[in-house]
């Protein structure tokens, strides 16, 4: 289960401080009554790749991470995500994107944010037969009917760019991960469809400091949509996408509630034969321990920085740590710093022997204190 990105909190963090700064004062307004939640729907069977398309849900995202290498052996990792939210009572949607490149050899991380906050092309009006076409200026995402994905994010001022295309997932070798067994979950704070393609072959180009680097590698794709809401710190999550050297793949997530206590630990495993298993905290003996922390010089957030993961039913006992400490993703422009999160590459080692076991990505949310609300200092 991955509640991952606190999109609704992020949107309010982006625009509320901006509006207050523009007006200079606050007028008393009636507090609106929130809409009643929609009834929880009965889950349906997913249809892939058709469900890679947009569902115009209250919240939806298309997320990618990957581990890449150049012809000369340089190692890179990246993440790319486009969020989409739907306005209440209409079919209007709102999108924005975030991405980052980690240069493992130079120990450098470069974030990228979208120029626009609404797409000029949607799945509803695209002229092509693609399942999805989103254009946010310096971010584009196209998912074709055959299941191939093309994604691009750039920061021209910094000389940074991600340009990748994936092959269609080979369902025989690497079937889609259907989290909770059916690709649908019901939580105390809402419901969601959620599935992953854990190993999509990719090739393309990275540009770093204006230097073009041809790369190949594997991409992990997450797609999630539904009707749910997650508050900020101390609520949040630790989420991991693990790709083991033996060909198996695993998703593990730990979610904290409003009081900071862990409310859910879930996982999904696809072994090297393509067989899939849902992992449960108690039944499978999942234990995730934080061994070290890193404090961000940008936001003051204190993030986990080393872990030990044990899963008794699978005989798993590994340590995980990032090759680069600072892979924090900043809040969007004009946003509250509490909307920042940590998203980056981590390496996997056998706890007993220290042997390399594979690579992974971690996402850490809910570790940054919110800034004081602007209205508290406003003059009425």
């Amino acid at each position: 289960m991955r509640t991952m990105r606190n999109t609704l909190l992020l949107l309010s963090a982006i625009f509320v401080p901006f509006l207050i700064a523009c007006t200079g004062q606050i007028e008393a307004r009636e507090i609106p009554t929130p809409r009643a939640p929609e009834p929880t729907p009965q889950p349906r069977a997913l249809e892939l790749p058709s469900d890679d398309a947009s569902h115009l849900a209250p919240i939806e995202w298309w997320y990618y991470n990957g581990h890449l290498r150049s012809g000369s052996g340089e190692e890179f990792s990246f993440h790319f995500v486009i969020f989409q939210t739907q306005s209440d009572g209409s079919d209007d949607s709102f999108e924005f994107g975030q991405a980052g490149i980690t240069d493992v050899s130079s120990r450098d991380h470069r974030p990228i944010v979208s120029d626009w906050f609404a797409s000029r092309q949607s799945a509803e009006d695209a002229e092509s037969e693609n399942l999805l076409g989103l254009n946010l200026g310096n971010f584009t995402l196209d998912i074709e009917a055959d299941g191939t994905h093309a994604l691009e994010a750039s920061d021209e001022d910094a000389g940074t760019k991600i340009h990748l295309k994936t092959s269609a997932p080979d369902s025989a070798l690497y079937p889609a991960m259907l989290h909770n067994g059916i690709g649908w979950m019901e939580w105390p704070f809402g419901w969601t469809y959620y599935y992953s393609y854990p190993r999509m072959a990719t090739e393309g180009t990275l540009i770093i400091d204006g230097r073009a680097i041809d790369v190949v590698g594997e991409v992990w794709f997450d797609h999630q949509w539904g009707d749910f809401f997650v508050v900020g710190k101390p609520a949040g999550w630790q989420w991991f996408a693990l790709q083991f050297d033996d060909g198996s793949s695993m998703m593990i997530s730990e979610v904290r509630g409003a009081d900071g206590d862990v409310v859910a630990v879930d996982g999904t495993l696809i072994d090297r034969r393509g067989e899939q298993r849902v992992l449960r905290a108690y039944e499978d003996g999942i234990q995730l321990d934080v061994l070290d922390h890193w404090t961000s010089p940008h936001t003051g957030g204190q993030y986990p920085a080393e872990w030990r993961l044990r899963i008794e039913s699978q005989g798993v006992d590994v340590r995980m740590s990032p090759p680069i400490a600072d892979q924090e993703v900043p809040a969007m422009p004009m946003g509250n710093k509490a909307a920042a999160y940590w998203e980056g590459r981590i390496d996997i080692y056998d706890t007993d022997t220290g042997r390399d076991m594979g690579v992974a990505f971690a996402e850490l949310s809910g570790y940054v204190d919110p800034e004081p609300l602007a209205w508290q200092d406003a003059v009425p």
Side-chain angles (χ1 to χ4, degrees), residues 60-108:
E60 185 165 15
W61 56 70
W62 297 263
Y63 163 88
Y64 303 79
N65 73 55
H67 306 283
L68 312 169
R69 62 187 179 277
S70 70
S72 62
E74 296 172 286
E75 289 188 70
F76 305 91
S77 296
F78 82 96
H79 91 280
F80 172 104
V81 60
I82 290 182
F83 307 95
Q84 183 179 79
T85 63
Q86 184 181 9
S87 302
D88 290 343
S90 76
D91 290 334
D92 294 336
S93 64
F94 172 96
E95 295 90 14
F96 60 94
Q98 291 179 311
I101 300 175
T102 296
D103 184 336
V104 178
S105 59
S106 68
R107 303 178 62 83
D108 183 40

Short mmCIF file of all heavy atoms in Angstrom, two decimals, residues 60-108:
data_model
loop_
_atom_site.label_atom_id
_atom_site.label_comp_id
_atom_site.label_asym_id
_atom_site.label_seq_id
_atom_site.Cartn_x
_atom_site.Cartn_y
_atom_site.Cartn_z
N GLU A 60 -4.82 11.07 -8.85
CA GLU A 60 -4.23 10.04 -9.70
C GLU A 60 -2.79 10.43 -10.01
O GLU A 60 -2.46 11.62 -10.08
CB GLU A 60 -5.03 9.90 -10.99
CG GLU A 60 -4.56 8.76 -11.90
CD GLU A 60 -5.57 8.42 -12.99
OE1 GLU A 60 -6.49 9.22 -13.24
OE2 GLU A 60 -5.44 7.33 -13.60
N TRP A 61 -1.92 9.43 -10.16
CA TRP A 61 -0.56 9.74 -10.59
C TRP A 61 0.04 8.59 -11.39
O TRP A 61 -0.37 7.45 -11.29
CB TRP A 61 0.36 10.08 -9.43
CG TRP A 61 0.45 9.05 -8.34
CD1 TRP A 61 1.04 7.82 -8.39
CD2 TRP A 61 -0.05 9.19 -7.01
NE1 TRP A 61 0.94 7.19 -7.19
CE2 TRP A 61 0.28 8.00 -6.32
CE3 TRP A 61 -0.72 10.20 -6.34
CZ2 TRP A 61 -0.06 7.79 -4.99
CZ3 TRP A 61 -1.06 10.01 -5.01
CH2 TRP A 61 -0.73 8.81 -4.35
N TRP A 62 1.02 8.98 -12.23
CA TRP A 62 1.84 8.07 -13.02
C TRP A 62 3.27 8.31 -12.58
O TRP A 62 3.82 9.40 -12.75
CB TRP A 62 1.68 8.33 -14.51
CG TRP A 62 0.28 8.11 -15.01
CD1 TRP A 62 -0.22 7.00 -15.62
CD2 TRP A 62 -0.80 9.05 -14.97
NE1 TRP A 62 -1.53 7.17 -15.95
CE2 TRP A 62 -1.92 8.43 -15.57
CE3 TRP A 62 -0.94 10.36 -14.50
CZ2 TRP A 62 -3.15 9.08 -15.68
CZ3 TRP A 62 -2.16 11.00 -14.61
CH2 TRP A 62 -3.25 10.35 -15.21
N TYR A 63 3.89 7.30 -12.01
CA TYR A 63 5.18 7.45 -11.34
C TYR A 63 6.16 6.44 -11.92
O TYR A 63 5.83 5.27 -12.15
CB TYR A 63 5.02 7.23 -9.83
CG TYR A 63 6.32 6.96 -9.10
CD1 TYR A 63 7.07 8.01 -8.60
CD2 TYR A 63 6.78 5.66 -8.91
CE1 TYR A 63 8.27 7.77 -7.92
CE2 TYR A 63 7.97 5.41 -8.24
CZ TYR A 63 8.71 6.47 -7.76
OH TYR A 63 9.89 6.22 -7.10
N TYR A 64 7.41 6.89 -12.11
CA TYR A 64 8.47 6.04 -12.65
C TYR A 64 9.74 6.24 -11.84
O TYR A 64 10.07 7.37 -11.45
CB TYR A 64 8.78 6.41 -14.11
CG TYR A 64 7.60 6.34 -15.05
CD1 TYR A 64 6.66 7.38 -15.07
CD2 TYR A 64 7.41 5.26 -15.90
CE1 TYR A 64 5.57 7.34 -15.93
CE2 TYR A 64 6.32 5.21 -16.76
CZ TYR A 64 5.40 6.25 -16.77
OH TYR A 64 4.32 6.20 -17.62
N ASN A 65 10.45 5.16 -11.58
CA ASN A 65 11.84 5.27 -11.15
C ASN A 65 12.66 4.25 -11.92
O ASN A 65 12.10 3.30 -12.49
CB ASN A 65 11.99 5.12 -9.63
CG ASN A 65 11.80 3.69 -9.14
OD1 ASN A 65 12.46 2.76 -9.59
ND2 ASN A 65 10.88 3.51 -8.19
N GLY A 66 13.95 4.47 -11.98
CA GLY A 66 14.75 3.52 -12.73
C GLY A 66 16.23 3.65 -12.45
O GLY A 66 16.70 4.65 -11.90
N HIS A 67 16.94 2.60 -12.82
CA HIS A 67 18.39 2.51 -12.66
C HIS A 67 18.99 2.31 -14.04
O HIS A 67 18.64 1.36 -14.76
CB HIS A 67 18.74 1.38 -11.71
CG HIS A 67 18.02 1.48 -10.39
ND1 HIS A 67 18.42 2.36 -9.40
CD2 HIS A 67 16.91 0.86 -9.92
CE1 HIS A 67 17.59 2.26 -8.37
NE2 HIS A 67 16.67 1.36 -8.66
N LEU A 68 19.88 3.21 -14.43
CA LEU A 68 20.38 3.30 -15.80
C LEU A 68 21.90 3.23 -15.81
O LEU A 68 22.56 3.54 -14.82
CB LEU A 68 19.93 4.63 -16.43
CG LEU A 68 18.44 4.99 -16.26
CD1 LEU A 68 18.21 6.43 -16.70
CD2 LEU A 68 17.56 4.02 -17.04
N ARG A 69 22.44 2.86 -16.97
CA ARG A 69 23.89 2.84 -17.14
C ARG A 69 24.22 3.29 -18.55
O ARG A 69 23.47 3.08 -19.51
CB ARG A 69 24.45 1.44 -16.88
CG ARG A 69 23.94 0.38 -17.83
CD ARG A 69 24.39 -1.02 -17.44
NE ARG A 69 23.86 -2.02 -18.37
CZ ARG A 69 22.64 -2.55 -18.28
NH1 ARG A 69 21.82 -2.18 -17.30
NH2 ARG A 69 22.24 -3.45 -19.17
N SER A 70 25.38 3.93 -18.67
CA SER A 70 25.86 4.39 -19.97
C SER A 70 26.75 3.33 -20.59
O SER A 70 27.11 2.33 -19.95
CB SER A 70 26.64 5.70 -19.81
OG SER A 70 27.87 5.45 -19.15
N GLY A 71 27.14 3.55 -21.85
CA GLY A 71 28.03 2.60 -22.52
C GLY A 71 29.38 2.50 -21.86
O GLY A 71 30.05 1.46 -21.96
N SER A 72 29.79 3.56 -21.16
CA SER A 72 31.09 3.54 -20.48
C SER A 72 31.01 3.05 -19.04
O SER A 72 32.01 3.06 -18.32
CB SER A 72 31.70 4.95 -20.50
OG SER A 72 30.86 5.86 -19.81
N GLY A 73 29.79 2.64 -18.61
CA GLY A 73 29.64 2.07 -17.28
C GLY A 73 29.22 3.05 -16.20
O GLY A 73 29.14 2.68 -15.03
N GLU A 74 28.93 4.32 -16.55
CA GLU A 74 28.44 5.27 -15.56
C GLU A 74 27.05 4.84 -15.07
O GLU A 74 26.24 4.35 -15.87
CB GLU A 74 28.35 6.67 -16.16
CG GLU A 74 29.68 7.27 -16.57
CD GLU A 74 29.48 8.56 -17.33
OE1 GLU A 74 29.07 8.49 -18.51
OE2 GLU A 74 29.71 9.65 -16.75
N GLU A 75 26.78 5.05 -13.78
CA GLU A 75 25.50 4.67 -13.20
C GLU A 75 24.67 5.90 -12.87
O GLU A 75 25.19 6.88 -12.31
CB GLU A 75 25.71 3.86 -11.92
CG GLU A 75 26.25 2.46 -12.14
CD GLU A 75 26.25 1.67 -10.85
OE1 GLU A 75 25.17 1.32 -10.35
OE2 GLU A 75 27.34 1.44 -10.32
N PHE A 76 23.39 5.81 -13.20
CA PHE A 76 22.44 6.87 -12.89
C PHE A 76 21.14 6.25 -12.40
O PHE A 76 20.81 5.11 -12.75
CB PHE A 76 22.15 7.72 -14.14
CG PHE A 76 23.36 8.29 -14.81
CD1 PHE A 76 24.01 7.60 -15.82
CD2 PHE A 76 23.86 9.52 -14.42
CE1 PHE A 76 25.13 8.12 -16.43
CE2 PHE A 76 24.99 10.06 -15.02
CZ PHE A 76 25.62 9.35 -16.03
N SER A 77 20.40 7.02 -11.61
CA SER A 77 19.04 6.66 -11.24
C SER A 77 18.17 7.89 -11.45
O SER A 77 18.66 9.02 -11.48
CB SER A 77 18.96 6.18 -9.79
OG SER A 77 19.70 4.98 -9.61
N PHE A 78 16.87 7.67 -11.59
CA PHE A 78 15.97 8.80 -11.82
C PHE A 78 14.59 8.49 -11.25
O PHE A 78 14.25 7.33 -11.01
CB PHE A 78 15.84 9.09 -13.32
CG PHE A 78 14.83 8.20 -14.01
CD1 PHE A 78 13.52 8.62 -14.21
CD2 PHE A 78 15.18 6.92 -14.42
CE1 PHE A 78 12.59 7.79 -14.82
CE2 PHE A 78 14.26 6.08 -15.02
CZ PHE A 78 12.96 6.52 -15.23
N HIS A 79 13.81 9.55 -11.02
CA HIS A 79 12.39 9.37 -10.81
C HIS A 79 11.66 10.44 -11.61
O HIS A 79 12.22 11.50 -11.93
CB HIS A 79 12.00 9.41 -9.33
CG HIS A 79 11.65 10.77 -8.81
ND1 HIS A 79 12.58 11.72 -8.45
CD2 HIS A 79 10.43 11.35 -8.59
CE1 HIS A 79 11.97 12.81 -8.02
NE2 HIS A 79 10.67 12.62 -8.10
N PHE A 80 10.40 10.15 -11.95
CA PHE A 80 9.57 11.03 -12.76
C PHE A 80 8.13 10.76 -12.35
O PHE A 80 7.72 9.60 -12.26
CB PHE A 80 9.78 10.70 -14.24
CG PHE A 80 8.85 11.39 -15.21
CD1 PHE A 80 9.28 12.47 -15.97
CD2 PHE A 80 7.54 10.95 -15.38
CE1 PHE A 80 8.43 13.09 -16.89
CE2 PHE A 80 6.69 11.56 -16.29
CZ PHE A 80 7.13 12.64 -17.04
N VAL A 81 7.36 11.81 -12.11
CA VAL A 81 5.96 11.62 -11.75
C VAL A 81 5.13 12.78 -12.26
O VAL A 81 5.58 13.93 -12.27
CB VAL A 81 5.79 11.48 -10.21
CG1 VAL A 81 6.28 12.72 -9.46
CG2 VAL A 81 4.33 11.18 -9.84
N ILE A 82 3.93 12.47 -12.74
CA ILE A 82 2.92 13.49 -13.03
C ILE A 82 1.69 13.17 -12.19
O ILE A 82 1.18 12.05 -12.20
CB ILE A 82 2.55 13.54 -14.52
CG1 ILE A 82 3.73 14.11 -15.33
CG2 ILE A 82 1.31 14.41 -14.73
CD1 ILE A 82 3.46 14.26 -16.81
N PHE A 83 1.27 14.16 -11.41
CA PHE A 83 0.07 14.07 -10.59
C PHE A 83 -1.11 14.67 -11.35
O PHE A 83 -0.94 15.65 -12.09
CB PHE A 83 0.22 14.87 -9.30
CG PHE A 83 1.45 14.54 -8.50
CD1 PHE A 83 2.60 15.29 -8.65
CD2 PHE A 83 1.45 13.50 -7.60
CE1 PHE A 83 3.74 15.01 -7.90
CE2 PHE A 83 2.57 13.21 -6.85
CZ PHE A 83 3.72 13.97 -7.00
N GLN A 84 -2.29 14.13 -11.11
CA GLN A 84 -3.50 14.70 -11.68
C GLN A 84 -4.58 14.70 -10.61
O GLN A 84 -4.77 13.71 -9.90
CB GLN A 84 -3.98 13.87 -12.88
CG GLN A 84 -5.21 14.44 -13.58
CD GLN A 84 -5.61 13.59 -14.78
OE1 GLN A 84 -6.23 12.55 -14.64
NE2 GLN A 84 -5.22 14.03 -15.98
N THR A 85 -5.26 15.84 -10.46
CA THR A 85 -6.40 15.92 -9.56
C THR A 85 -7.60 16.43 -10.34
O THR A 85 -7.45 17.13 -11.35
CB THR A 85 -6.13 16.86 -8.37
OG1 THR A 85 -5.92 18.19 -8.86
CG2 THR A 85 -4.92 16.41 -7.59
N GLN A 86 -8.76 16.07 -9.88
CA GLN A 86 -10.00 16.46 -10.55
C GLN A 86 -10.77 17.43 -9.68
O GLN A 86 -10.92 17.22 -8.46
CB GLN A 86 -10.86 15.22 -10.84
CG GLN A 86 -12.13 15.52 -11.62
CD GLN A 86 -12.95 14.27 -11.85
OE1 GLN A 86 -12.65 13.22 -11.30
NE2 GLN A 86 -13.99 14.37 -12.66
N SER A 87 -11.25 18.52 -10.27
CA SER A 87 -12.02 19.50 -9.52
C SER A 87 -13.37 18.92 -9.11
O SER A 87 -13.97 18.14 -9.85
CB SER A 87 -12.26 20.76 -10.38
OG SER A 87 -11.04 21.33 -10.78
N ASP A 88 -13.85 19.31 -7.93
CA ASP A 88 -15.14 18.85 -7.47
C ASP A 88 -16.24 19.31 -8.42
O ASP A 88 -16.29 20.47 -8.82
CB ASP A 88 -15.46 19.40 -6.06
CG ASP A 88 -14.57 18.76 -5.00
OD1 ASP A 88 -13.98 17.71 -5.30
OD2 ASP A 88 -14.48 19.32 -3.90
N GLY A 89 -17.12 18.38 -8.76
CA GLY A 89 -18.29 18.75 -9.55
C GLY A 89 -18.01 19.04 -11.01
O GLY A 89 -18.88 19.58 -11.70
N SER A 90 -16.83 18.73 -11.53
CA SER A 90 -16.55 18.97 -12.93
C SER A 90 -15.56 17.94 -13.43
O SER A 90 -15.00 17.16 -12.67
CB SER A 90 -15.98 20.38 -13.14
OG SER A 90 -14.62 20.43 -12.73
N ASP A 91 -15.35 17.96 -14.75
CA ASP A 91 -14.37 17.06 -15.35
C ASP A 91 -13.03 17.75 -15.56
O ASP A 91 -12.13 17.20 -16.21
CB ASP A 91 -14.89 16.55 -16.70
CG ASP A 91 -16.05 15.57 -16.52
OD1 ASP A 91 -16.12 14.93 -15.47
OD2 ASP A 91 -16.89 15.48 -17.44
N ASP A 92 -12.89 18.98 -15.05
CA ASP A 92 -11.63 19.69 -15.19
C ASP A 92 -10.55 19.00 -14.36
O ASP A 92 -10.80 18.54 -13.24
CB ASP A 92 -11.76 21.14 -14.72
CG ASP A 92 -12.69 21.95 -15.61
OD1 ASP A 92 -12.86 21.55 -16.78
OD2 ASP A 92 -13.25 22.94 -15.13
N SER A 93 -9.35 18.92 -14.91
CA SER A 93 -8.25 18.29 -14.20
C SER A 93 -7.10 19.27 -14.09
O SER A 93 -6.98 20.24 -14.84
CB SER A 93 -7.81 17.01 -14.90
OG SER A 93 -7.30 17.30 -16.19
N PHE A 94 -6.23 18.96 -13.15
CA PHE A 94 -5.07 19.79 -12.84
C PHE A 94 -3.88 18.86 -12.73
O PHE A 94 -3.95 17.82 -12.06
CB PHE A 94 -5.35 20.51 -11.51
CG PHE A 94 -4.19 21.26 -10.92
CD1 PHE A 94 -4.05 22.61 -11.14
CD2 PHE A 94 -3.25 20.61 -10.13
CE1 PHE A 94 -2.98 23.31 -10.58
CE2 PHE A 94 -2.19 21.30 -9.57
CZ PHE A 94 -2.06 22.66 -9.80
N GLU A 95 -2.79 19.17 -13.40
CA GLU A 95 -1.62 18.32 -13.39
C GLU A 95 -0.36 19.11 -13.04
O GLU A 95 -0.28 20.31 -13.31
CB GLU A 95 -1.39 17.66 -14.76
CG GLU A 95 -2.47 16.68 -15.19
CD GLU A 95 -3.58 17.35 -15.98
OE1 GLU A 95 -3.39 18.52 -16.42
OE2 GLU A 95 -4.64 16.71 -16.16
N PHE A 96 0.60 18.43 -12.46
CA PHE A 96 1.94 18.99 -12.31
C PHE A 96 2.93 17.84 -12.20
O PHE A 96 2.54 16.69 -11.94
CB PHE A 96 2.05 19.94 -11.11
CG PHE A 96 1.75 19.32 -9.78
CD1 PHE A 96 2.76 18.81 -8.99
CD2 PHE A 96 0.45 19.28 -9.29
CE1 PHE A 96 2.49 18.25 -7.75
CE2 PHE A 96 0.17 18.72 -8.05
CZ PHE A 96 1.18 18.20 -7.28
N GLY A 97 4.21 18.14 -12.45
CA GLY A 97 5.21 17.09 -12.49
C GLY A 97 6.42 17.40 -11.64
O GLY A 97 6.77 18.55 -11.40
N GLN A 98 7.08 16.33 -11.19
CA GLN A 98 8.34 16.41 -10.48
C GLN A 98 9.24 15.28 -10.95
O GLN A 98 8.76 14.20 -11.30
CB GLN A 98 8.13 16.32 -8.96
CG GLN A 98 7.44 17.54 -8.36
CD GLN A 98 7.23 17.40 -6.86
OE1 GLN A 98 6.74 16.39 -6.39
NE2 GLN A 98 7.60 18.43 -6.12
N ALA A 99 10.55 15.53 -10.95
CA ALA A 99 11.50 14.52 -11.39
C ALA A 99 12.84 14.79 -10.75
O ALA A 99 13.07 15.84 -10.13
CB ALA A 99 11.62 14.52 -12.92
N GLY A 100 13.75 13.84 -10.90
CA GLY A 100 15.11 14.01 -10.38
C GLY A 100 16.05 13.02 -11.02
O GLY A 100 15.65 11.90 -11.37
N ILE A 101 17.30 13.43 -11.19
CA ILE A 101 18.36 12.54 -11.68
C ILE A 101 19.42 12.42 -10.59
O ILE A 101 19.88 13.42 -10.04
CB ILE A 101 19.01 13.11 -12.95
CG1 ILE A 101 17.99 13.28 -14.08
CG2 ILE A 101 20.15 12.19 -13.41
CD1 ILE A 101 18.57 13.94 -15.32
N THR A 102 19.81 11.18 -10.31
CA THR A 102 20.91 10.92 -9.39
C THR A 102 22.10 10.40 -10.18
O THR A 102 22.00 9.35 -10.83
CB THR A 102 20.51 9.90 -8.31
OG1 THR A 102 19.45 10.44 -7.51
CG2 THR A 102 21.69 9.56 -7.42
N ASP A 103 23.19 11.15 -10.18
CA ASP A 103 24.44 10.73 -10.81
C ASP A 103 25.26 10.02 -9.72
O ASP A 103 25.83 10.67 -8.83
CB ASP A 103 25.18 11.94 -11.36
CG ASP A 103 26.45 11.57 -12.12
OD1 ASP A 103 27.01 10.48 -11.86
OD2 ASP A 103 26.90 12.38 -12.95
N VAL A 104 25.28 8.70 -9.77
CA VAL A 104 25.90 7.92 -8.69
C VAL A 104 27.41 8.19 -8.63
O VAL A 104 27.98 8.31 -7.54
CB VAL A 104 25.61 6.42 -8.88
CG1 VAL A 104 26.30 5.60 -7.79
CG2 VAL A 104 24.10 6.17 -8.86
N SER A 105 28.06 8.30 -9.80
CA SER A 105 29.52 8.46 -9.79
C SER A 105 29.95 9.80 -9.23
O SER A 105 30.94 9.89 -8.50
CB SER A 105 30.07 8.28 -11.21
OG SER A 105 29.49 9.23 -12.09
N SER A 106 29.21 10.87 -9.55
CA SER A 106 29.59 12.20 -9.05
C SER A 106 28.88 12.55 -7.74
O SER A 106 29.10 13.62 -7.19
CB SER A 106 29.26 13.26 -10.11
OG SER A 106 27.86 13.39 -10.27
N ARG A 107 27.99 11.65 -7.27
CA ARG A 107 27.25 11.84 -6.02
C ARG A 107 26.47 13.16 -6.05
O ARG A 107 26.50 13.96 -5.13
CB ARG A 107 28.21 11.82 -4.82
CG ARG A 107 29.03 10.54 -4.73
CD ARG A 107 30.00 10.57 -3.57
NE ARG A 107 29.30 10.68 -2.30
CZ ARG A 107 28.77 9.65 -1.64
NH1 ARG A 107 28.84 8.44 -2.16
NH2 ARG A 107 28.16 9.83 -0.48
N ASP A 108 25.72 13.31 -7.15
CA ASP A 108 24.98 14.54 -7.38
C ASP A 108 23.52 14.21 -7.67
O ASP A 108 23.23 13.23 -8.38
CB ASP A 108 25.60 15.29 -8.57
CG ASP A 108 24.93 16.63 -8.82
OD1 ASP A 108 24.61 17.32 -7.84
OD2 ASP A 108 24.74 16.98 -9.99
#
